[in-house]
Amino acid sequence: MSTPSQLAKRFREVVLDGKWIANTNFKDQLSDVTWHHANTKIADLNTIAMLTFHIDYYIAGILNVFEGGNLEIRDQFSFDLPPIESQQQWESLLNKLWNDSEKFATLLEQMPDSKLNEVFVDEKYGTYLRNIDGMIEHAYYHLGQITLIKKMIHFNTNNTDAFH
């Protein structure tokens, strides 16, 4: 199996369908989250909706480069989530994450091994490999946060005075 195929498999594991590293993935964790819970604020933590938007923001930004476009994302905008005011809007955000993730993985699988060591947009960003590995690590980091926030919301729902 080529290195890009292995990376695509690792990426799909964290976002779409894996259980090997964390025994869960984004799709699994977010499958039962309602728009109300996605917007629930626990102390000063980001909401599940914000983290979902944030991870898709980076996936979509790198995907744009994979598709031949420019790197248009900026860290300062990565949490600029438009208000989620309905289940339909929440599901739209989730569908965007799933679609962007599958496109990301598919284009990664098609990438020649030699591309991995090429400069990603600008030397200051390192190589394609560094950015792909970083995306996978970034996704696991936020997957852990989402998992813990879900547990806090569940606990908070059953103990009304907790976390305020």
Side-chain angles (χ1 to χ4, degrees), residues 37-152:
H37 284 155
N39 283 313
T40 298
K41 188 78 173 139
I42 302 289
D44 63 349
L45 301 177
N46 288 313
T47 65
I48 290 172
M50 288 175 79
L51 293 168
T52 302
F53 174 86
H54 176 76
I55 204 70
D56 182 62
Y57 181 83
Y58 283 102
I59 291 168
I62 294 174
L63 175 61
N64 192 53
V65 174
F66 284 3
E67 292 174 328
N70 294 322
L71 184 64
E72 299 170 351
I73 56 175
R74 299 293 175 264
D75 292 346
Q76 67 194 41
F77 304 123
S78 68
F79 283 102
D80 287 357
L81 169 70
I84 302 285
E85 298 173 333
S86 69
Q87 186 65 28
Q88 182 179 2
Q89 289 175 332
W90 171 236
E91 288 173 13
S92 178
L93 177 59
L94 291 176
N95 287 329
K96 183 175 179 337
L97 174 60
W98 311 146
N99 292 332
D100 288 346
S101 296
E102 186 51 45
K103 280 189 229 172
F104 182 101
T106 298
L107 288 176
L108 178 52
E109 284 173 324
Q110 297 167 0
M111 193 176 286
D113 279 50
S114 59
K115 183 87 170 169
L116 295 176
N117 292 319
E118 290 181 15
V119 170
F120 184 82
V121 181
D122 187 309
E123 284 195 28
K124 68 182 176 185
Y125 299 122
T127 63
Y128 273 79
L129 179 59
R130 181 174 187 249
N131 282 271
I132 294 162
D133 274 339
M135 186 68 253
I136 293 167
E137 292 165 9
H138 185 220
Y140 274 114
Y141 173 75
H142 290 303
L143 174 61
Q145 289 179 317
I146 288 170
T147 302
L148 290 172
I149 291 167
K150 272 184 68 177
K151 290 178 181 186
M152 290 176 179

